[in-house]
Amino acid sequence: MKRAIVIGAGHNGLVCAAELAAGGVETTVLEQAPAPGGGVSSVEVTLPGFVHDHCAAFFPVTHAAPAMRAQPLAEHGVEWIAPERVMAHPYEDGSAIVLDHDLGSTARSLDRVSPGAGDAWRGLIERVLPHERAFVTSIFNRLPPVGPALRLGAGLRLDAVDLGRRLLGSVEAFGQALFDAERPTAWIAGAAMHSGLEPRAAGSGAFGFMLMLLGHTASWPIPRGGAGRVTDALVANATELGARVRCDASVERILVRGGRAAGVRLHGGEELAADAVVATVSAGPMARMLPDDALPERTFRALRNWRYGTGVFKLDYALDGPVPWAAEEARSAAVVHVAGELHDLTRAAQEGNRGETPQRPALVVGQQSQYDAT
């Protein structure tokens, strides 16, 4: 039997382990932390009884990405909650634009703040919705996504060229072309900021639109009890298929013999043999784990000199009551984008890219307790 080692017990590593084990490969997952999950975990970090999601909190992409859709999460206890009021983007004058699961409600919200924006949004979504699966698959498929892209193009016909051009560009250009208004553009740009891309960055249009589209098709679901329930289910599925998950197992070195991966050495000296090694770590740690002659020098140099994007920080609060937002719409939203006007979003992103702490940072506020009492 072939043996594989997966480095990292985050969701990527656990999905990979399940697929390998299902294919008959003897699979071991090694995780340096005391528990699996990585960013998909829930912890008590404020007061006893308050459960906070460590990093990931809302899971629209879980319901879109083929690899995650294939995981039997519900069979292992994950109960999804789909908030009806997905997101609210308030402004300082007390107004707000919402993303509701219901398209009509969303369009009316857009029109209240910017007349005509609702009709523009409704028209676009109604054209794309029949082809939603092809659109999402084209984003998550292997590159280049020729098959799904052709199916999407055939379905949208003349709209395909215009939409494709907009999606490849920035979310600011996408919003301005669609709405010809600042506040609706800020509303969709707030979704794009989940990717770490600034409003004027190429490709931010596709990410922002995808998240908004998923809000109408799947909402931005949350697992009852917190993100850690997703990891619990992934671990249960992988182990049921035969994979082994070891925590407190930090990999020091990937062993290479004859130009092929041969296993790993842990901190402490223990060596584990394998026919294949899958590392779900980022570029810098990957370079440090590999022998100097394991990859071509050009590839090694790219790993060692990898330039990371702007970071995200997170703050957890234990509150004694709901946040008294000035905008009524924000009080019932699962997610609130405290991002202000379009120029506020852009300035905050540019300041972060320069290594400065933004004076008015764009915030994503999670209000899971509005929909999940646990």
Side-chain angles (χ1 to χ4, degrees):
M1 177 184 288
K2 294 290 186 179
R3 293 173 296 178
I5 288 173
V6 177
I7 303 172
H11 64 287
N12 291 312
L14 293 170
V15 169
C16 177
E19 295 294 321
L20 288 169
V25 179
E26 182 183 314
T27 305
T28 300
V29 184
L30 302 174
E31 170 58 50
Q32 67 173 352
V40 185
S41 56
S42 303
V43 288
E44 288 189 4
V45 291
T46 54
L47 298 177
F50 281 76
V51 178
H52 300 273
D53 289 333
H54 176 52
C55 291
F58 297 86
F59 292 81
V61 174
T62 298
H63 293 257
M68 290 301 295
R69 285 167 59 89
Q71 305 306 304
L73 300 180
E75 295 176 20
H76 292 283
V78 176
E79 180 186 348
W80 292 107
I81 301 170
E84 181 56 38
R85 175 136 295 166
V86 179
M87 179 270 288
H89 187 126
Y91 300 94
E92 289 191 2
D93 61 7
S95 65
I97 302 176
V98 302
L99 171 66
D100 282 352
H101 188 51
D102 178 69
L103 175 58
S105 175
T106 301
R108 289 190 293 273
S109 173
L110 281 160
D111 278 332
R112 282 194 295 271
V113 171
S114 182
D119 286 341
W121 184 250
R122 187 198 302 271
L124 174 61
I125 295 299
E126 287 179 345
R127 291 197 303 276
V128 174
L129 269 181
H131 316 287
E132 179 255 351
R133 180 48 42 195
F135 172 74
V136 172
T137 303
S138 69
I139 292 177
F140 289 105
N141 206 5
R142 296 176 180 178
L143 295 174
V146 176
L150 288 174
R151 289 192 293 274
L152 179 62
L156 290 172
R157 294 188 175 88
L158 293 178
D159 284 339
V161 175
D162 185 47
L163 181 60
R165 178 178 54 80
R166 292 186 193 178
L167 294 176
L168 290 173
S170 72
V171 72
E172 180 178 301
F174 182 99
Q176 293 286 19
L178 179 64
F179 301 119
D180 191 27
E182 294 280 312
R183 285 190 168 181
T185 300
W187 169 76
I188 194 171
M193 74 180 177
H194 287 258
S195 67
L197 295 171
E198 65 174 271
R200 294 176 180 173
S204 58
F207 194 90
F209 179 67
M210 179 192 70
L211 276 191
M212 294 303 220
L213 177 65
L214 290 174
H216 291 309
T217 59
S219 182
W220 293 358
I222 56 178
R224 189 178 300 280
R229 298 298 176 88
V230 175
T231 290
D232 293 343
L234 291 174
V235 170
N237 182 51
T239 54
E240 186 178 276
L241 291 168
R244 181 187 179 202
V245 180
R246 283 183 58 180
C247 294
D248 290 314
S250 179
V251 174
E252 178 182 58
R253 200 73 163 168
I254 297 173
L255 305 176
V256 177
R257 298 190 181 95
R260 295 184 62 85
V264 300
R265 182 171 65 245
L266 305 181
H267 285 278
E270 181 184 358
E271 293 191 359
L272 302 173
D275 300 292
V277 176
V278 179
T280 66
V281 298
S282 66
M286 177 79 170
R288 292 191 291 273
M289 288 178 182
L290 286 168
D292 291 340
D293 59 349
L295 294 172
E297 176 55 31
R298 182 177 179 181
T299 306
F300 245 129
R301 189 164 58 249
L303 290 175
R304 286 194 296 263
N305 298 328
W306 184 265
R307 184 172 181 267
Y308 290 92
T310 54
V312 176
F313 77 89
K314 177 170 170 287
L315 200 58
D316 293 300
Y317 286 105
L319 302 179
D320 60 6
V323 178
W325 301 102
E328 185 70 32
E329 296 91 335
R331 300 181 186 184
S332 57
V335 178
V336 181
H337 287 165
V338 184
E341 308 290 346
L342 182 60
H343 63 264
D344 294 321
L345 263 167
T346 301
R347 183 184 299 117
Q350 291 175 342
E351 289 172 345
N353 286 332
R354 291 197 301 266
E356 303 170 7
T357 302
Q359 294 299 306
R360 292 170 60 90
L363 307 180
V364 177
V365 180
Q367 300 189 132
Q368 296 95 311
S369 53
Q370 294 281 16
Y371 290 88
D372 182 6
T374 65

